[in-house]
């Protein structure tokens, strides 16, 4: 059995490895090795608690000092796009660090990030998936994976009350999904304009997404991989409002609703969570095998362990925090 001293030794090795091998030329933590400009900050709340627990607040504070020289868009963009589902862990990491240190530098960055997130992704009481930096506009498609922002807003609400109010009102709008009323699941993306308006806007709205997808396809030249990515593109962008992906794209909003129920004890959230759990059981499980992708009304496939693990995770949270 590993004892506490050994755990600290292992942690110190990992931290030393980060500092020695994963800082790019600007001194920021890279997500990749060798270090590049692909930064780790869309995973910041995964690493911040670890560094804080092992006494490395100053290392994280120095990261934030360097970040002051960068625009929010630069830190988080992918090509010319910013995806809202990549923002919550940046906000969460800054919030964790500020709660621990009460640093003015961190608070300043956190306030900027909160304001930018609201200004770029929230419009008419809805949270959208993509902001196009080049065209300077929101692409009005809703992605339930982005609910991580709403959950983070709820976690921050004791210090930022307006975020709790915003997260609650957007969540209640999302609960009224026609697809959910019909199937008890959430679609991969929900187009919020009428069909006629959508067709008129389809090409300009999909243009940056198509560019990004082509770059992904070109990055791997094997025929099998290209074919798989073309099929994924069909579901992700053409059938997106008639298609369900369980891991993250459904589970993230359910975790948000669990957090809402914990804060309010409102029975509506409990009822919706239970309906979703039952719908997964009825539509996605056969012979004790869970399928993670679903094309309405009944086609299902993909037995990846990711989907099974996240469903179990939700069942545990439901048992612990609701039942």
């Amino acid at each position: 059995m590993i004892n506490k001293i050994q755990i600290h030794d292992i942690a110190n090795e990992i931290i030393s490895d980060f500092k020695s091998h994963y800082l790019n030329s600007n001194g920021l933590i890279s997500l990749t090795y060798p270090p590049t400009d692909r930064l780790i900050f869309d995973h910041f709340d995964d690493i911040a608690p670890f560094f804080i627990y092992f006494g490395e607040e100053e290392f994280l504070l120095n990261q934030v000092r360097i970040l002051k020289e960068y625009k929010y868009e630069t830190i988080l963009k992918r090509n010319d796009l910013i995806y809202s589902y990549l923002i919550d862990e940046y906000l969460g990491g800054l919030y964790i660090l500020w709660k621990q240190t009460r640093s003015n530098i961190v608070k300043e960055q956190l306030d900027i990030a909160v304001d930018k997130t609201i200004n770029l992704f929230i419009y008419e009481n809805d949270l959208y998936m993509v902001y196009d930096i080049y065209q300077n506009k929101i692409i009005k498609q809703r992605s339930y994976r982005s609910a991580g922002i709403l959950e983070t807003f709820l976690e921050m609400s004791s210090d930022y009350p307006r975020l709790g109010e915003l997260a609650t009102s957007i969540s209640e709008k999302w609960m009224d999904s026609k697809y959910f009323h019909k199937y008890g699941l959430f679609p991969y993306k929900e187009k919020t304009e009428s069909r006629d308006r959508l067709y008129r806007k389809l090409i300009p709205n999909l243009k940056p997404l198509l560019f990004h997808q082509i770059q992904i396809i070109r990055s791997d030249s094997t025929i099998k991989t290209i074919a798989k990515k073309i099929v994924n593109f069909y579901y992700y962008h053409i059938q997106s409002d008639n298609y369900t992906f369980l891991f993250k794209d459904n589970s993230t909003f359910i975790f948000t609703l669990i957090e809402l129920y914990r804060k309010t004890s409102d029975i509506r959230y409990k009822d919706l969570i239970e309906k979703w759990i039952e719908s997964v059981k009825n539509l996605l499980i056969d012979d004790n095998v869970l399928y993670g992708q679903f094309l309405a009304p009944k086609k299902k496939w993909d037995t990846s362990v990711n989907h099974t693990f996240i469903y179990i995770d939700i069942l545990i949270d439901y048992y612990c925090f609701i039942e």
Side-chain angles (χ1 to χ4, degrees), residues 87-279:
I87 306 300
D88 57 290
E89 296 196 12
Y90 177 59
L91 293 173
L94 288 173
Y95 183 63
I96 290 165
L97 184 58
W98 174 68
K99 290 281 283 186
Q100 177 68 22
T101 64
R102 296 291 171 173
S103 162
N104 290 334
I105 294 172
V106 178
K107 184 65 163 57
E108 181 184 338
Q109 285 299 108
L110 179 59
D111 289 346
I112 291 169
V114 166
D115 289 342
K116 279 282 189 179
T117 299
I118 292 171
N119 291 336
L120 297 188
F121 294 106
I122 295 176
Y123 179 72
E124 292 184 346
N125 199 40
D126 212 338
L127 171 65
Y128 292 107
M129 173 185 169
V130 184
Y131 184 82
D132 184 338
I133 300 170
Y134 183 75
Q135 296 189 57
N136 193 30
K137 70 172 185 177
I138 299 172
I139 296 176
K140 292 182 181 176
Q141 285 187 321
R142 181 190 299 163
S143 168
Y144 290 87
R145 176 177 290 213
S146 302
I149 287 179
L150 305 179
E151 186 178 4
T152 301
F153 279 4
L154 290 169
E155 291 166 355
M156 296 170 62
S157 61
S158 59
D159 294 294
Y160 292 81
R162 67 175 177 136
L163 298 186
E165 295 166 7
L166 196 54
T168 301
S169 62
I170 292 171
S171 295
E172 297 200 349
K173 188 171 187 176
W174 285 16
M175 287 165 60
D176 199 33
S177 159
K178 292 178 181 178
Y179 184 93
F180 182 82
H181 287 310
K182 189 170 184 178
Y183 297 108
L185 304 169
F186 295 103
Y188 184 75
K189 288 184 293 194
E190 195 154 53
K191 303 177 180 76
T192 54
E193 295 111 329
S194 69
R195 281 288 175 184
D196 288 343
R197 287 179 64 205
L198 177 64
Y199 286 143
R200 288 199 299 271
K201 293 184 175 185
L202 185 63
I203 298 305
N205 274 358
L206 277 182
K207 196 169 164 184
L209 294 172
L210 279 166
F211 174 77
H212 181 58
Q213 198 70 24
I214 288 167
Q215 295 299 106
I216 292 172
I217 291 171
R218 287 177 61 191
S219 69
D220 193 323
S221 58
T222 65
I223 293 174
K224 183 178 179 181
T225 304
I226 290 174
K228 181 179 178 182
K229 287 176 178 176
I230 290 171
V231 170
N232 286 345
F233 180 81
Y234 170 73
Y235 289 118
Y236 296 169
H237 300 301
I238 307 302
Q239 286 280 12
S240 60
D241 57 348
N242 201 37
Y243 159 74
T244 290
F245 192 91
L246 192 65
F247 179 66
K248 289 190 179 293
D249 296 281
N250 262 240
S251 57
T252 305
F253 188 44
I254 298 301
F255 285 122
T256 301
L257 293 174
I258 290 172
E259 186 67 21
L260 270 169
Y261 180 77
R262 292 180 68 190
K263 286 184 173 295
T264 65
S265 299
D266 188 325
I267 196 69
R268 292 174 305 146
Y269 305 133
K270 180 176 185 286
D271 288 346
L272 190 143
I273 294 161
E274 289 175 347
K275 180 177 179 179
W276 182 87
I277 289 171
E278 195 66 21
S279 296

